[in-house]
Amino acid sequence: MKACIFCSLPKSDVLVENEIAVAFFDKFPVNEGHVLLVPKRHVSSLFDLTEEEVMGVWNLVQEVKEMLDRRFQPVAYNIGANVGAAAGQTVFHAHVHVIPRYQGDVPDPRGGVRNVKKSMVPSPGEGEK
Ligand code: 5GP
Ligand code: ZN
């Protein structure tokens, strides 16, 4: 089996951690401060987490947000996870993306995580530009 890059992450890459999870910068960030959070236990899907792990990961999301607020002063966040190849997952150690957002970093931010795919039905306001 191929070694998991998130199981063999260098200690020096760790930004914050708790008993359950660790956070580190994405190597190919979509924005300044793009962080990934992974449970310490190797599971491929976020849906395989225990309740305790869900809490541990979410608590760390909060800590990461506070750290990023101090360090980069973003004005908003996208938080998301790709679960399964058809949803875009490329590293099969479950992880959460925390992406800081900055005023004007895209021309029209409406829709946020909805923009991973074209809508089946236009949402209110779509196409009014
Ligand atoms: P996925 O596409 O599976 O949701 O996310 C995998 C993420 O891992 C991508 O955002 C990618 O940029 C990031 N990534 C890939 N290889 C490495 C690596 O070696 N180190 C770090 N820190 N991030 C990585
Ligand atoms: Zn792993």
Side-chain angles (χ1 to χ4, degrees):
M1 208 186 77
K2 223 177 121 218
C4 171
I5 52 172
F6 291 168
C7 282
S8 41
L9 197 78
K11 271 266 163 221
S12 56
D13 283 7
V14 174
L15 293 168
V16 276
E17 66 180 311
N18 60 21
E19 249 178 65
I20 301 290
V22 347
F24 49 92
F25 285 127
D26 195 295
K27 196 173 177 180
F28 307 97
V30 304
N31 243 353
E32 184 154 56
H34 181 171
V35 164
L36 299 174
L37 280 99
V38 301
K40 290 183 176 175
R41 184 170 71 95
H42 179 102
V43 286
S44 60
S45 166
L46 269 191
F47 292 114
D48 294 335
L49 298 184
T50 64
E51 276 183 40
E52 191 193 7
E53 286 172 325
V54 170
M55 285 307 301
V57 168
W58 192 253
N59 288 339
L60 197 63
V61 168
Q62 294 280 359
E63 267 191 60
V64 163
K65 187 252 183 217
E66 285 157 27
M67 182 274 289
L68 292 171
D69 281 347
R70 286 193 299 273
R71 202 150 155 186
F72 300 106
Q73 294 90 44
V75 296
Y77 285 92
N78 292 114
I79 298 169
N82 301 324
V83 183
Q89 186 172 2
T90 58
V91 177
F92 289 86
H93 181 138
H95 53 277
V96 175
H97 294 257
V98 177
I99 303 176
R101 298 299 303 273
Y102 303 94
Q103 205 62 50
D105 64 2
V106 295
D108 182 1
R110 277 183 302 178
V113 296
R114 288 178 55 92
N115 296 328
V116 295
K117 186 184 170 290
K118 188 174 178 297
S119 300
M120 295 174 74
V121 176
S123 54
E126 230 173 46
E128 277 176 7
K129 283 167 271 162

